[in-house]
Amino acid sequence: MGLDTTAQKVFDAITARLQVVSDERIKRKLQEGGKVSGYWGTAPTGRPHVGYMVPMVKIAECVAAGCEVSIYLGDSYAYLVNYDVSQKIVAYRTQYYRFLIAAILRAIGVDMSKITFVVESTYTSTPPFCNDQARMLVHSSQEEIKMVGLEVTTAHMMSPLLCPVYQALSEVYIGGEFQLGGEDQLGMYAYADKVLPRVGYEPVSHLANVIIPGLHKGKMSSSALGATKIEWLDSPDTVKKNLEGISWAELDGPAARFVLPMLQHCLFPLYHLGALGSEKITAQLVDGSTKDYTTYEELERDLQAGHLGFETLQPTFIAFINQVLSPIRAEYATNQEWKLAEKLAYSD
């Protein structure tokens, strides 16, 4: 049975611009006439970067479509995968992430009454979880664990090998109809799809967003050097310096690989959500005239046709990043608990 018009609009809002790995749980809930809920998870390790804006914008779209979304702070996962960092530091980083993510969501206009934060360690020491973890391990081969990729593939310590089990069980202990994650989570999704049914659980639907490249090469990473990324608390001058410090001359160059996905997955969706106020997305064409854009596809067509020079997007893009970051910086400046959490979490 298909979806009615209203349900299809909700489904389309949830899945727009995502890789839909599976969608059965979402469609079933919509067919039943219920409200869809889901979650996005992150492990509190290094300082988050603006690549996180992609899932934050998707969360904003889901909330606007009537969903409730949980933010899964995987502190137990972070401790297992960053085994050279103490549990105390992981706890401070979890606080830092919670302050930052809440500020980001407020900055892009998300109704925070639809957001719930779940700290993983609140349930990972409970008897039901410990029993489920043991059952998952009994039904998992070493090959299945290592096939998820990420840190698990190259792990020489035992602890990272438990991470796929923890993430798979988050689907049981957080619940909802879907899990949102980056495209680097596809191995984790495959593991959950394969092993959860063996212990009597149904996996949630799995959705994957694009991973934003770094300013120079590779994906933008929380653990990478500052010049390779934009961080949420960077000053306007730092944002400008880092973005002007890469080549904007080619459509396949470093700036384009970072900027175009950010325009497609963040700037234009925020514009359509009304999160940018009265600001328009304006660029100067090669003939000297200016043009307002309402869709990414239109902008991309003009770039490919040579009507719009990519380098002319630089001031618009820098202004956009700083517009989003401005209320986050302001909130940080007045929040002493957040500042203390940062100091204790990242003493370097």
Side-chain angles (χ1 to χ4, degrees):
M1 183 174 70
L3 300 175
D4 63 30
T5 303
T6 300
Q8 187 65 50
K9 285 182 179 179
V10 175
F11 180 81
D12 291 344
I14 294 170
T15 59
R17 305 180 314 281
L18 298 179
Q19 180 177 343
V20 180
V21 181
S22 56
D23 59 16
E24 182 180 343
R25 291 277 295 268
I26 301 172
K27 287 184 173 178
R28 187 193 312 159
K29 177 65 78 169
L30 289 170
Q31 287 166 349
E32 294 168 352
K35 285 190 176 294
V36 175
S37 62
Y39 72 96
W40 170 79
T42 185
T45 53
R47 288 183 178 87
H49 48 76
V50 295
Y52 278 53
M53 197 184 302
V54 175
M56 296 296 102
V57 170
K58 176 47 61 181
I59 290 168
E61 290 180 306
C62 289
V63 170
C67 301
E68 294 187 352
V69 180
S70 294
I71 307 298
Y72 157 49
L73 297 173
D75 58 336
S76 298
Y77 184 119
Y79 180 58
L80 292 171
V81 80
N82 273 182
Y83 39 77
D84 55 346
V85 175
S86 72
Q87 285 180 301
K88 182 179 288 188
I89 289 178
V90 171
Y92 292 134
R93 289 180 176 181
T94 303
Q95 293 176 26
Y96 177 82
Y97 269 57
R98 182 167 184 159
F99 281 124
L100 176 60
I101 292 167
I104 296 168
L105 294 175
R106 281 190 287 268
I108 59 175
V110 174
D111 178 357
M112 296 303 288
S113 70
K114 305 299 183 183
I115 300 295
T116 301
F117 283 86
V118 179
V119 178
E120 187 182 39
S121 60
T122 58
Y123 64 77
T124 51
S125 60
T126 63
F129 180 88
C130 293
N131 181 56
D132 281 336
Q133 177 183 254
R135 294 196 302 135
M136 290 283 286
L137 291 170
V138 165
H139 288 86
S140 301
S141 70
Q142 292 183 37
E143 288 73 23
E144 287 168 334
I145 291 285
K146 291 180 178 178
M147 281 177 64
V148 304
L150 300 173
E151 302 90 345
V152 175
T153 305
T154 57
H156 66 277
M157 299 294 283
M158 182 65 192
S159 57
L161 299 178
L162 296 176
C163 290
V165 175
Y166 276 64
Q167 183 161 334
L169 285 174
S170 70
E171 301 189 10
V172 177
Y173 286 81
I174 299 176
E177 283 67 56
F178 69 85
Q179 179 183 174
L180 172 66
E183 289 175 340
D184 57 353
Q185 300 299 306
L186 296 180
M188 289 288 192
Y189 290 166
Y191 172 79
D193 283 337
K194 183 179 292 185
V195 181
L196 282 175
R198 296 176 187 169
V199 296
Y201 292 124
E202 181 186 12
V204 300
S205 294
H206 293 135
L207 308 174
N209 61 257
V210 300
I211 300 294
I212 298 297
L215 297 182
H216 297 283
K217 62 180 180 178
K219 73 174 184 179
M220 192 168 287
S221 170
S222 296
S223 58
L225 296 175
T228 68
K229 57 187 176 180
I230 305 295
E231 293 186 353
W232 291 98
L233 299 176
D234 280 348
S235 69
D237 287 344
T238 298
V239 170
K240 189 171 185 290
K241 177 182 176 182
N242 284 355
L243 287 174
E244 288 181 344
I246 53 178
S247 174
W248 289 70
E250 315 88 15
L251 268 179
D252 60 350
R257 289 194 295 268
F258 170 68
V259 171
L260 294 180
M262 289 289 287
L263 290 173
Q264 181 180 8
H265 295 277
C266 299
L267 177 55
F268 280 96
L270 287 175
Y271 170 78
H272 288 292
L273 285 169
L276 301 180
S278 60
E279 292 294 323
K280 294 183 178 180
I281 302 170
T282 303
Q284 184 175 7
L285 302 180
V286 294
D287 64 5
S289 64
T290 59
K291 181 176 179 178
D292 293 337
Y293 289 95
T294 58
T295 68
Y296 173 77
E297 290 72 21
E298 184 183 12
L299 181 143
E300 186 177 43
R301 282 196 298 270
D302 280 358
L303 282 171
Q304 296 296 337
H307 302 315
L308 174 65
F310 176 67
E311 67 280 358
T312 65
L313 292 173
Q314 187 183 98
T316 297
F317 185 75
I318 292 173
F320 157 62
I321 293 292
N322 278 319
Q323 180 181 351
V324 174
L325 267 54
S326 179
I328 301 167
R329 298 183 192 113
E331 187 170 332
Y332 172 80
T334 60
N335 190 325
Q336 299 307 313
E337 288 185 72
W338 185 359
K339 289 182 177 181
L340 179 60
E342 181 187 36
K343 179 180 179 181
L344 296 172
Y346 305 105
S347 56
D348 57 333

